[in-house]
Amino acid sequence: AVTTLQWLVFFHVAGAFLFVSGAVAAGVLQIAALRAERPSQIALLFKLVRLAVPAVSAGAIVALALGIWLVVHVEGYTIGEGWIVGALALWVASLALGGIGGRHARHTRYLAEQLAAQGDSRTEDLDRRLHTPLALATNYASMLAAIAILILMVWKPGA
């Protein structure tokens, strides 16, 4: 029989998987959008990123809630443990950075949709928006923070 602890661990890991895989999927789709030639293709790829967002959000909430429950109430750690504080800080950073990058991507998608409707030709403005260093950095940093959380959870330095 499956114990309550095993169910908690299963759903925590499933949440972490959704969080990280959604972030990676969004990152891959955005990289594909950078390489796409026509605004209609760019708009489609950015629309597909929107499908990953619920996975990231649901996974982030489930992984956080069950992760805190597991480490505090089951494993007996305190929230003040360095690796837990680090993971929580990375969790906040990943979601905040993803939100900032997502906002920029949404506005870039709007421009791509307009250009697709007006002849489907790229413009300098679209290229500039696609390659905005701050937007790219926030998206990549968000994905790296999500991966760093996994590393902390597995390694548990100082535990």
Side-chain angles (χ1 to χ4, degrees):
V2 179
T3 67
T4 302
L5 176 60
Q6 289 170 327
W7 280 115
L8 288 171
V9 170
F10 171 79
F11 285 112
H12 171 66
V13 171
F17 177 78
L18 278 174
F19 177 51
V20 174
S21 63
V24 170
V28 167
L29 289 166
Q30 289 193 356
I31 289 168
L34 294 175
R35 297 170 189 253
E37 292 184 23
R38 294 190 335 257
S40 58
Q41 296 167 328
I42 294 165
L44 174 63
L45 289 164
F46 277 126
K47 281 182 185 177
L48 291 174
V49 169
R50 292 174 39 199
L51 297 176
V53 172
V56 172
S57 300
I61 292 166
V62 169
L64 176 70
L66 294 180
I68 289 172
W69 180 266
L70 286 166
V71 298
V72 173
H73 297 291
V74 175
E75 298 291 327
Y77 292 105
T78 65
I79 287 290
E81 302 272 345
W83 62 277
I84 296 173
V85 171
L88 292 172
L90 286 167
W91 184 87
V92 169
S94 180
L95 292 176
L97 291 166
I100 293 167
R103 192 173 316 115
H104 179 81
R106 183 175 61 245
H107 293 295
T108 303
R109 177 176 53 89
Y110 293 156
L111 176 59
E113 288 170 342
Q114 287 176 337
L115 293 172
Q118 298 169 351
D120 213 15
S121 296
R122 287 178 78 122
T123 63
E124 287 182 26
D125 187 30
L126 180 60
D127 288 336
R128 194 170 32 256
R129 284 176 182 254
L130 284 170
H131 296 92
T132 300
L134 182 61
L136 293 172
T138 57
N139 284 319
Y140 293 137
S142 174
M143 189 169 54
L144 289 174
I147 292 167
I149 293 168
L150 285 181
I151 293 168
L152 280 175
M153 293 294 102
V154 171
W155 182 33
K156 297 178 186 166

